[in-house]
Amino acid sequence: MNNRSSTSIRKLYQKTAGLFSLSSTLNDIGCHSEYDLFNMELYHVLNRGVDKRVIFLSDRDRLRFVNDLYDFNNENRVINTSRSFQKLNDIGCRSEKDERILLVNIHAFCLMPNHYHLLLSPRVEGGISKFMKKINMGYAKYFNEKYKRSGALFQGKYKSVMVKKESHFIYLPYYIHLNPLDLNSPEWRMGKLNNLDKATKFLENYRWSSFLDYIGKNNFPSVIFRNFISDFFGNSKNYKDQIFNQLKEMNSEDKKVLNLENE
C-alpha cells in the first residue's frame, strides 16, 4: 500500500464521501440517498459494561444493538426501534415513511461480550455525541427491561479518541475487526497465533462486526458506510488478504499488538 499523508486521507474522504445516490436494497451500503461532507474527523469510540460486566447475553441482544446502530443513526426522533426487530437478517433498508437524517457515518464496528468498538465520523454538528447518547440510553433501557435490572449498564458515557495520525487510521480497521479473536485465539494480542486456520475461520464466521461486509459477505451492509475504508484499503479481496496477512506475520515477528482500548 502506498504511503499517504494526512492531507491525502482528507482528500480521499472528500472524494469517497461526495454526493452520490444509493438504491434501497440490502446489497447497498445504506438507505440514505445523498451525503454532504461536514468534515473528515474520524473517531474510535468504545464503551464497556459497568464493572466490565457482560452487556450482550444472547444473539438477540447483539442483534438489537446492531438494529439500534441503524435506527438511532437519525437526527429525527426514533419512536419505536422494535418495529424491524423481528428476524436475524432484518437489519438494513426498509420501507419507511420518514427519511433518516444521519448523525454519523459508521465506518466499522465490533461487538464483544462486555464492550463494543465503533469507527465514526460526524455527519452533522455534534453528531457523534447525539448518536452515542441515543445508542447507550436506548440499549440500556432495552437491556434493563429485558433482564429486570436497574441502574447503569455502561461504565461511563463513552470513550472517544480522534484519529490524528495516518498510522493510527491504517491500524484501526484491522484492530477493530481482529478483536473477536479474544474469544478464540487470545494469544493474538501477544503477536502470536497457535492455529492460523482456526483464527481465520472464526473471523469469517463471526457475525457481530462489520468485517464480513468488508470481505464481500453481506451481513449488515446498510448499517455501515463502506466507501471510505474500501477505497483506501482496496476491494473486498484485497482487504481480506491484507488482514489475513497481518495474522500470518504475527508468527514471524516478535511484536505485541497495540492495545487501542488504553489510548
Side-chain angles (χ1 to χ4, degrees), residues 2 16 35 56 62 92 97 99 119 134 136 166 176 206 213 259:
N2 294 330
T16 59
Y35 177 82
F56 303 111
R62 285 178 274 272
K97 294 181 180 179
E99 185 177 349
L119 182 59
K134 286 186 174 186
N136 287 340
E166 179 188 355
I176 290 173
Y206 188 80
D213 291 296
N259 189 347

Side-chain angles (χ1 to χ4, degrees), residues 17-38:
L19 296 175
F20 58 88
S21 297
L22 298 170
S23 59
S24 56
T25 70
L26 277 173
N27 293 324
D28 291 322
I29 297 168
C31 297
H32 49 289
S33 59
E34 288 189 339
Y35 177 82
D36 291 309
L37 183 68
F38 173 69

Side-chain angles (χ1 to χ4, degrees), residues 188-214:
W188 80 280
R189 289 189 179 271
M190 300 301 295
K192 299 291 183 182
L193 276 177
N194 296 331
N195 190 321
L196 178 62
D197 288 339
K198 176 185 174 183
T200 56
K201 288 178 181 178
F202 183 78
L203 287 177
E204 288 186 284
N205 287 281
Y206 188 80
R207 191 179 185 200
W208 308 108
S209 85
S210 51
F211 176 63
L212 295 184
D213 291 296
Y214 277 107

Side-chain angles (χ1 to χ4, degrees), residues 56-189:
F56 303 111
L57 297 176
S58 69
D59 281 351
R60 295 295 288 176
D61 295 342
R62 285 178 274 272
L63 179 68
R64 177 57 184 244
F65 190 87
V66 177
N67 183 87
D68 287 351
L69 289 177
Y70 181 93
D71 274 351
F72 286 130
N73 191 8
N74 189 351
E75 194 161 18
N76 296 322
R77 183 184 178 188
V78 179
I79 298 175
N80 182 9
T81 64
S82 64
R83 66 189 183 281
S84 59
F85 184 54
Q86 300 299 328
K87 301 177 182 178
L88 284 178
N89 61 351
D90 197 24
I91 300 294
C93 294
R94 303 178 285 266
S95 297
E96 298 177 348
K97 294 181 180 179
D98 299 323
E99 185 177 349
R100 294 189 302 157
I101 302 176
L102 299 188
L103 293 168
V104 298
N105 276 335
I106 303 172
H107 300 280
F109 74 89
C110 180
L111 309 188
M112 297 295 288
N114 71 348
H115 68 283
Y116 62 79
H117 291 269
L118 305 172
L119 182 59
L120 307 176
S121 60
R123 289 281 300 254
V124 299
E125 187 172 0
I128 289 180
S129 61
K130 293 176 184 177
F131 176 65
M132 295 308 302
K133 181 178 180 180
K134 286 186 174 186
I135 282 288
N136 287 340
M137 290 181 64
Y139 182 76
K141 182 176 184 294
Y142 153 82
F143 188 92
N144 284 352
E145 289 179 353
K146 179 177 179 179
Y147 296 106
K148 296 179 173 55
R149 70 179 296 274
S150 60
L153 177 62
F154 297 104
Q155 68 177 13
K157 185 172 68 170
Y158 60 89
K159 184 175 181 179
S160 176
V161 179
M162 186 177 181
V163 180
K164 297 180 180 180
K165 297 180 180 179
E166 179 188 355
S167 57
H168 187 190
F169 163 70
I170 292 173
Y171 184 67
L172 254 177
Y174 296 144
Y175 178 80
I176 290 173
H177 289 149
L178 290 176
N179 246 254
L181 290 180
D182 286 350
L183 308 175
N184 174 269
S185 306
E187 71 276 7
W188 80 280
R189 289 189 179 271

